[in-house]
């Protein structure tokens, strides 16, 4: 009943408020110029994140944004080749605001949304947040969205071949990390080792990575952090425009193409995008990896409305992927791969685009709405989402799936934010989730189940000129009802016979919170400090699994008596920014009570399907994680940047005395980038060359079921530029990873256990071609 009210009735109340509340209409205008010279900047983006609207400057540097609410709003101004600036403008008092941008090769986006009640400057957020813009995402050679952000300090990935990647934030992964897509948490059975993130990487404009517990705003599962995937800035009023993006990678002969069209007519927004990806088997230095091909196609639709009362967006998407699964079976004499029928694989088959058994087909459908309503000094935000994740795994025959899970999820959250005099923000909110899983295959790992989740929080933030303090508290409740399954001798459901799953009905509650401060010591130095309590309820695999987990080569048995995990993390950050140097140091210490892990006890074995497997049972104990990230950018001149970072995580299970699993090795990255300054009238804009070195140290602190991983070094390079074609800026680049074709295992690659190396030399060619179809926008 509660979920019906939220999903059906609440949007109607929002609409009623929108048409009955009186709003003052405001227009903000001004000019964007280059600092120092005063020269007008043409095409600078002026964006209001909380309203998801904006404009761009004309040939004289002027901009104008109409139909705004009479309230305080955070404005962000950005332009290629210049440092982005932000400012909070009170539209009740100011309707003209000019901006000056400083030329710089660093185009940092300082406005962040994640972990905040309202859009905020990053240096006023007490938690560690790393924003990643579209250009960084696109020009980093990758096969999926998580692969593209894995170079961020503090972020790694657990991989299964070329397409499946799971995010790791400071040593925590799986259900320890929440992924948000357009305001809605992504749900796709994250507990599985070979379950990836079903999101089109070309639909992303920016990603914000929050490192550390974020249960205050996001509830259970955000103990390790949050990956917030943000949609592109909508088209300006009166414009219809498009974009074609394409990539071609040599390492797996991946070609990706994506076409987008969007428009804004009088505040009515629409956007259409279609993406297609096709990859052959990828190549390691010694061989092509048989059955590592994949295909993917995605479709996205946005319909929205922006008015002076706020905005409302409707998103609909369909994600479909078919992925070859690599089991690594080889002939004992020739060491060649074997197919599922036991035949030796030829060279032509090994490098083919054909997908053979075993493989998986995953379809993810999502519909969500996001509304932000302005009420004088307050805002109401509401998100509701509906998702269906259909996973089919074919392990024996290409005609019938073995494991077939259909996961249906409803999510909702609502927040009320009040802006009080004296730069005080007060927020209260509720959120929840209803989930149902059905087994439709002939193999079983987890039972059918129903999940109910809800929680509420209050939060406050006070800002002074140099100082910000925030604190909040939250209560969560989650219940999971696992359903019994009994089969007769023919494998049919029966009242008695072989018990596959027993019924269980645990419920979990938790009180979490967070408190933090930021302090700008001077124009050079900034400090952050935060203490957060995290919470994670056990997932369905940990509670109720009973079967062979394909790809892990083990039999897993859950424990319905598990307690929820709770954590206390302390982290602090100090940053410095002077004329020729930028540096950030962030350290953390995370204590986790009732940490859930699996172990093989007393060499327990179990037969299934004619094979014998080690039995892993889920148990609990206390653990600790600690580490740091350090970033140093030396830029003696604007054109030259020497970027360096180091990332270290140490984790230990205090109950067993052994290291925690899936802890990334200590690694450093060193890049030198030269950006050539061209004349503003030149058709060639900001050409650059970059060379880099990745140094990954050996990981010898491993859990009992893991293996040691030796260190390795990768050599990378890229070259690119933006081209002025008529009034558009085209982006072209060539990027190479592992140019020396080094042979290595990444510690978090699951394929190293079957003797398969990571991809060898990979050179990617890419381009982004924006184009305008219609433009009636005119500054007057």
């Amino acid at each position: 009943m509660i979920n019906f009210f939220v999903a059906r009735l609440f949007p109607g109340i929002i609409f009623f408020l929108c048409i009955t509340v009186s709003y003052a209409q405001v227009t903000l205008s001004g000019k964007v110029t280059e600092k120092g010279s005063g020269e007008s900047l043409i095409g600078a983006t002026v964006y209001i994140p909380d309203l998801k609207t904006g404009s761009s400057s004309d040939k004289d540097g002027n901009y104008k944004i109409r139909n705004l609410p009479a309230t305080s709003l955070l404005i962000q101004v950005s332009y290629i080749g210049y440092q982005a600036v932000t400012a909070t403008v009170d539209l009740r008092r100011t309707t003209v605001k000019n901006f000056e941008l400083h030329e710089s090769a660093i185009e940092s986006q300082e406005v962040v949304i994640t972990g905040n009640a309202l859009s905020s400057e990053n240096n006023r957020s007490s938690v560690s947040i790393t924003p990643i813009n579209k250009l960084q995402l696109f020009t980093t050679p990758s096969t999926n969205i998580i692969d593209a952000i894995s170079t961020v300090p503090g972020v790694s990935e657990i991989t299964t071949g070329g397409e499946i990647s799971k995010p790791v934030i400071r040593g925590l992964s799986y259900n320890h990390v929440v992924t948000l897509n357009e305001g809605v948490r992504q749900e796709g059975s994250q507990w599985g080792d070979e379950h990836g993130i079903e999101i089109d990487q070309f639909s992303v404009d920016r990603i914000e990575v929050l490192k550390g517990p974020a249960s205050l705003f996001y509830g259970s599962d955000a103990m390790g952090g949050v990956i917030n995937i943000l949609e592109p800035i909508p088209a300006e009023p009166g414009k219809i425009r498009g974009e074609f993006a394409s990539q071609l990678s040599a390492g797996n002969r991946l070609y990706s193409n994506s076409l987008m069209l969007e428009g804004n007519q009088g505040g009515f927004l629409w956007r259409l995008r279609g993406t297609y990806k096709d990859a052959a088997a990828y190549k390691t230095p010694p061989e092509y990896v048989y059955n590592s091909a994949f295909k993917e196609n995605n479709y996205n639709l946005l319909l929205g409305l922006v008015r002076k009362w706020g905005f409302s967006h409707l998103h609909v998407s369909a994600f479909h992927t078919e992925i070859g699964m690599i089991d690594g079976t080889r002939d004992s004499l020739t060491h060649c791969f074997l197919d599922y029928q036991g035949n030796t694989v030829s060279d032509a088959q090994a490098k083919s685009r054909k997908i053979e058994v075993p493989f998986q087909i995953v379809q993810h459908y999502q519909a969500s709405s996001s509304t932000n309503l302005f009420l004088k000094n307050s805002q109401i935000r509401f998100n509701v989402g509906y998702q269906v994740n259909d996973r089919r795994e074919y392990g024996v025959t290409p005609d019938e799936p073995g494991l077939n899970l259909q996961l249906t999820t409803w999510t909702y959250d609502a927040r009320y934010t009040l802006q009080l005099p004296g730069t005080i923000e007060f927020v209260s909110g509720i959120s929840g989730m209803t989930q149902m899983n059905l087994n439709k295959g002939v193999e079983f790992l987890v039972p059918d189940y129903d999940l109910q989740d809800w929680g509420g929080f209050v939060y406050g933030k006070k800002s002074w000129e140099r100082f910000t303090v925030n604190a909040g508290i939250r209560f969560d409740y989650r219940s999971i009802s696992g359903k019994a399954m009994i089969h007769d001798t023919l494998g049919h459901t029966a009242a008695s016979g072989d018990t596959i799953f027993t019924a269980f009905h645990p419920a979990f509650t938790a009180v979490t919170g967070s408190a933090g401060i930021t302090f700008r010591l001077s124009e050079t130095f900034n400090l952050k400090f935060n203490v957060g309590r995290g919470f994670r309820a056990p997932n369905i695999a940990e509670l109720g699994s009973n079967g062979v987990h394909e790809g892990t080569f083990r039999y897993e048995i859950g424990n319905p008596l598990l307690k929820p995990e709770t954590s206390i993390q302390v982290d602090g950050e100090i940053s410095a920014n002077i004329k020729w140097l930028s540096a950030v140091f962030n350290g953390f210490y995370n204590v986790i009570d009732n940490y859930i892990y699996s172990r093989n006890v007393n060499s327990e074995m179990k037969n299934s399907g004619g094979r014998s497997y080690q039995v892993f049972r889920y148990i609990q104990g206390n653990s600790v994680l600690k580490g740091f990230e350090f970033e140093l950018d030396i830029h003696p001149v604007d054109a030259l940047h020497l970027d360096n970072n180091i990332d270290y995580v140490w984790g230990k299970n205090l109950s067993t005395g052994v290291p925690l699993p899936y802890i990334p090795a200590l690694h450093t990255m060193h890049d030198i980038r030269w950006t050539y300054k061209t004349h503003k009238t030149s058709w060639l804009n900001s050409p650059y060359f970059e060379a880099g070195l990745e140094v990954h140290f050996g990981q010898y602190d491993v859990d009992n079921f893991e293996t040691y991983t030796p260190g390795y070094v990768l050599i990378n390079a890229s070259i690119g530029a933006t081209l002025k074609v008529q009034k558009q800026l085209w982006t072209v680049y060539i990027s190479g990873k592992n140019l020396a074709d080094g042979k290595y295992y990444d510690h978090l690659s699951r394929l190293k256990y079957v003797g398969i190396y990571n991809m060898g030399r990979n050179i990617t060619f890419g381009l982004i071609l924006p184009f305008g179809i219609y433009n009636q926008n005119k500054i007057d």
Side-chain angles (χ1 to χ4, degrees):
M1 181 63 69
I2 293 176
N3 293 304
F4 178 85
F5 169 82
V6 172
R8 303 291 178 85
L9 187 57
F10 195 85
I13 296 175
I14 294 292
F15 178 74
F16 175 78
L17 289 171
C18 290
I19 63 175
T20 56
V21 178
S22 176
Y23 297 89
Q25 179 176 339
V26 177
T27 297
L28 177 67
S29 61
K31 191 169 186 176
V32 183
T33 58
E34 183 182 67
K35 190 172 183 178
S37 70
E39 185 176 343
S40 299
L41 296 179
I42 305 170
T45 300
V46 184
Y47 182 55
I48 305 175
D50 287 326
L51 198 55
K52 292 194 176 180
T53 190
S55 182
S56 60
S57 55
D58 65 9
K59 60 183 178 60
D60 298 314
N62 297 315
Y63 74 92
K64 182 173 286 189
I65 310 175
R66 299 178 174 85
N67 216 24
L68 301 177
T71 187
S72 291
L73 292 171
L74 186 66
I75 314 293
Q76 175 180 290
V77 184
S78 58
Y79 188 67
I80 293 177
Y82 288 77
Q83 184 78 38
V85 299
T86 62
T88 299
V89 179
D90 189 343
L91 296 176
R92 293 163 294 193
R93 299 180 176 88
T94 302
T95 58
V96 177
K97 179 68 175 178
N98 297 324
F99 295 94
E100 292 182 322
L101 302 188
H102 173 69
E103 192 169 16
S104 172
I106 300 178
E107 301 167 39
S108 60
Q109 301 188 42
E110 291 298 329
V111 172
V112 292
I113 297 170
T114 314
N116 293 276
L118 299 171
S119 298
S120 173
E121 295 176 75
N122 200 353
N123 59 16
R124 288 192 176 274
S125 176
S126 63
V127 292
S128 176
I129 300 174
T130 301
I132 311 157
N133 64 37
K134 179 178 180 178
L135 195 59
Q136 288 175 278
L137 291 169
F138 192 79
T139 57
T140 300
S142 61
T143 56
N144 58 68
I145 191 64
I146 301 304
D147 190 24
I149 67 172
S150 62
T151 57
V152 172
V155 180
S156 304
E157 59 177 332
I158 298 171
T159 61
T160 305
E163 169 66 350
I164 299 173
S165 297
K166 301 183 71 65
V168 182
I169 299 179
R170 290 177 169 174
L172 293 175
S173 185
Y174 296 84
N175 285 85
H176 291 97
V177 175
V178 166
T179 300
L180 299 174
N181 184 21
E182 296 166 344
V184 173
R185 60 186 292 160
Q186 184 85 1
E187 290 293 323
S189 298
Q190 297 94 317
W191 48 265
D193 291 81
E194 70 284 3
H195 301 178
I197 303 296
E198 297 88 7
I199 295 175
D200 176 13
Q201 69 186 100
F202 288 92
S203 68
V204 178
D205 180 71
R206 190 163 64 108
I207 293 179
E208 293 175 356
V209 179
L210 187 155
K211 293 174 280 189
S215 298
L216 173 64
F217 285 119
Y218 306 105
S220 178
D221 303 350
M223 177 182 288
V226 175
I227 295 174
N228 191 5
I229 298 173
L230 304 174
E231 64 181 320
I233 298 173
E236 298 175 44
K239 283 190 175 182
I240 298 176
R241 65 187 185 188
E243 176 188 272
F244 174 72
S246 183
Q247 286 184 336
L248 176 63
S249 297
N252 57 354
R253 288 162 291 155
L254 166 67
Y255 58 85
S256 308
N257 295 297
S258 184
L259 178 64
M260 182 271 291
L261 295 173
E262 65 176 347
N264 183 342
Q265 277 68 50
F268 173 73
L269 312 174
W270 58 270
R271 181 187 302 122
L272 290 166
R273 181 181 287 275
T275 298
Y276 180 75
K277 298 166 68 175
D278 189 304
Y282 74 86
K283 188 179 185 306
T284 69
E287 63 187 351
Y288 284 93
V289 179
Y290 170 66
N291 207 33
S292 60
F294 66 87
K295 293 178 173 60
E296 180 185 312
N297 56 77
N298 311 298
Y299 304 96
N300 299 276
L301 168 67
L302 161 71
L303 297 175
L305 193 64
V306 178
R307 290 289 186 267
K308 53 182 174 290
W309 47 260
F311 72 85
S312 184
H313 287 183
L314 171 67
H315 297 275
V316 180
S317 64
F319 178 100
H320 179 278
T321 186
E322 183 176 355
I323 306 171
M325 301 303 296
I326 307 157
D327 62 16
T329 305
R330 298 177 186 265
D331 179 75
S332 57
L333 296 177
T334 65
H335 203 60
C336 293
F337 287 107
L338 299 178
D339 66 16
Y340 74 101
Q341 295 176 325
N343 301 315
T344 301
V345 173
S346 67
D347 289 341
Q349 286 177 286
K351 64 176 67 173
S352 171
R353 293 183 181 273
K354 188 176 180 180
I355 297 172
E356 303 278 6
V357 175
F359 65 93
Q360 61 178 235
I361 295 177
V362 182
Q363 295 172 304
H364 190 93
Y365 304 98
Q366 178 172 319
S368 63
S369 68
S370 177
T371 300
N372 195 11
L373 175 66
F374 287 84
L375 300 167
K376 293 185 178 179
N377 295 328
S378 62
Q379 296 183 34
I380 296 177
R381 296 188 179 192
F382 183 78
N383 296 315
V384 61
Y386 174 74
Q387 302 171 64
V388 176
N389 186 277
D390 186 84
R391 171 176 294 277
R392 287 168 283 168
E393 299 184 0
Y394 298 77
V396 178
T397 170
D399 302 318
E400 182 181 20
L403 187 72
N404 186 359
L405 301 176
Q406 188 176 88
L407 183 69
T408 302
T409 306
W410 281 93
T411 57
Y412 63 86
D413 69 84
R415 298 182 187 181
Y416 175 75
T417 304
L418 179 63
Q419 292 180 280
L420 299 172
T423 60
I424 297 175
E425 298 174 13
F426 173 79
V427 191
S428 60
I430 59 170
S431 62
M433 176 169 65
T434 296
Q435 197 168 75
M436 179 179 69
N437 179 75
L438 294 176
N439 279 285
K440 293 191 171 185
V442 295
E443 297 177 3
F444 310 99
L445 176 60
V446 297
D448 295 347
Y449 71 90
D450 295 322
L451 180 149
Q452 295 291 332
D453 177 286
W454 58 267
F457 71 91
V458 292
Y459 168 87
K461 180 178 180 180
K462 165 65 178 173
S463 299
W464 291 269
E465 182 179 357
R466 293 186 174 221
F467 189 72
T468 301
V469 61
N470 67 83
I473 190 169
R474 180 186 179 98
F475 175 80
D476 276 287
Y477 171 86
R478 174 174 288 189
S479 65
I480 303 179
S481 296
K483 300 180 181 180
M485 179 182 289
I486 301 174
H487 282 176
D488 60 21
T489 56
L490 298 177
H492 300 145
T493 301
S496 62
D498 185 17
T499 300
I500 310 300
F501 301 109
T502 57
F504 57 90
H505 310 280
F508 312 98
T509 60
V511 176
T512 56
S514 177
I517 60 173
T518 67
F519 185 40
R520 188 173 65 185
L521 294 173
S522 65
E523 293 297 324
T524 300
F525 294 98
N526 286 281
L527 294 177
K528 292 184 180 184
F529 180 80
N530 197 82
V531 179
R533 179 172 176 82
F535 156 68
R536 186 182 77 88
N539 63 43
I540 186 61
E542 295 162 341
L543 292 168
S545 61
N546 183 30
V548 177
H549 195 163
E550 297 294 342
T552 64
F553 309 104
R554 63 192 192 192
Y555 196 101
E556 296 183 359
I557 298 178
N559 179 3
L561 301 179
L562 292 173
K563 299 176 182 179
E565 296 178 344
T566 57
S567 70
I568 292 290
Q569 176 167 309
V570 178
D571 63 274
E573 176 180 298
I574 181 169
S575 60
N577 194 345
I578 61 178
K579 185 175 181 181
W580 56 273
L581 182 145
S582 301
V584 180
F585 177 86
N586 196 308
F588 66 93
Y589 191 91
N590 191 7
V591 177
I592 304 176
D593 293 332
N594 298 316
Y595 180 81
I596 300 171
Y597 60 99
S598 60
R599 287 191 68 191
N600 175 258
V601 181
N602 298 324
S603 301
E604 182 182 5
M605 304 292 291
K606 188 177 181 68
N607 290 318
S608 178
R611 291 185 60 181
S612 184
Y613 296 90
Q614 283 189 315
V615 175
F616 279 74
R617 296 180 181 270
Y618 286 98
I619 55 179
Q620 294 188 287
N622 297 333
S623 299
V624 63
L625 287 147
K626 57 185 178 181
F628 64 89
E629 300 101 36
F630 177 63
E631 301 174 64
L632 176 65
D633 176 12
I634 303 172
H635 39 273
V637 294
D638 283 343
L640 180 63
H641 285 260
L642 306 174
D643 293 321
N644 308 271
N645 67 65
I646 183 171
D647 180 347
Y648 173 71
V649 181
W650 180 90
K652 188 174 185 179
N653 187 323
L654 300 179
S655 300
T656 62
V658 301
L660 292 178
Y662 300 120
I663 300 297
L666 169 69
H667 67 277
T668 67
M669 298 186 68
H670 311 274
D671 295 293
I672 180 170
R673 181 184 177 105
W674 176 267
T675 303
Y676 182 72
K677 183 178 180 180
T678 57
H679 194 273
K680 292 181 175 58
T681 60
S682 172
W683 63 273
L684 185 64
N685 185 50
S686 302
Y688 70 89
F689 171 76
E690 183 173 2
L693 199 67
E694 292 184 38
V695 181
H696 296 253
F697 292 79
Q699 179 58 288
Y700 300 101
D701 294 328
V702 296
D703 199 349
N704 293 332
F705 70 87
E706 295 183 296
T707 60
Y708 302 143
T709 307
Y712 58 92
V713 176
L714 301 181
I715 300 173
N716 309 319
S718 62
I719 186 172
T722 54
L723 310 177
K724 293 181 180 179
V725 180
Q726 295 182 343
K727 296 182 179 180
Q728 305 293 341
L729 288 176
W730 292 8
T731 300
V732 295
Y733 79 94
I734 303 173
S735 185
K737 184 173 183 177
N738 191 12
L739 293 177
D741 203 26
K743 186 168 62 174
Y744 72 98
Y745 295 119
D746 184 87
H747 181 64
L748 301 187
S749 169
R750 296 178 60 247
L751 295 183
K752 76 172 186 172
Y753 297 100
V754 290
I756 295 177
Y757 292 101
N758 284 76
M759 188 182 298
R761 182 185 298 113
N762 186 27
I763 299 176
T764 300
F765 304 83
L767 56 87
I768 305 176
L769 308 181
F771 54 89
I773 299 175
Y774 178 73
N775 183 9
Q776 68 175 23
N777 193 28
K778 183 179 179 181
I779 302 293
D780 51 33

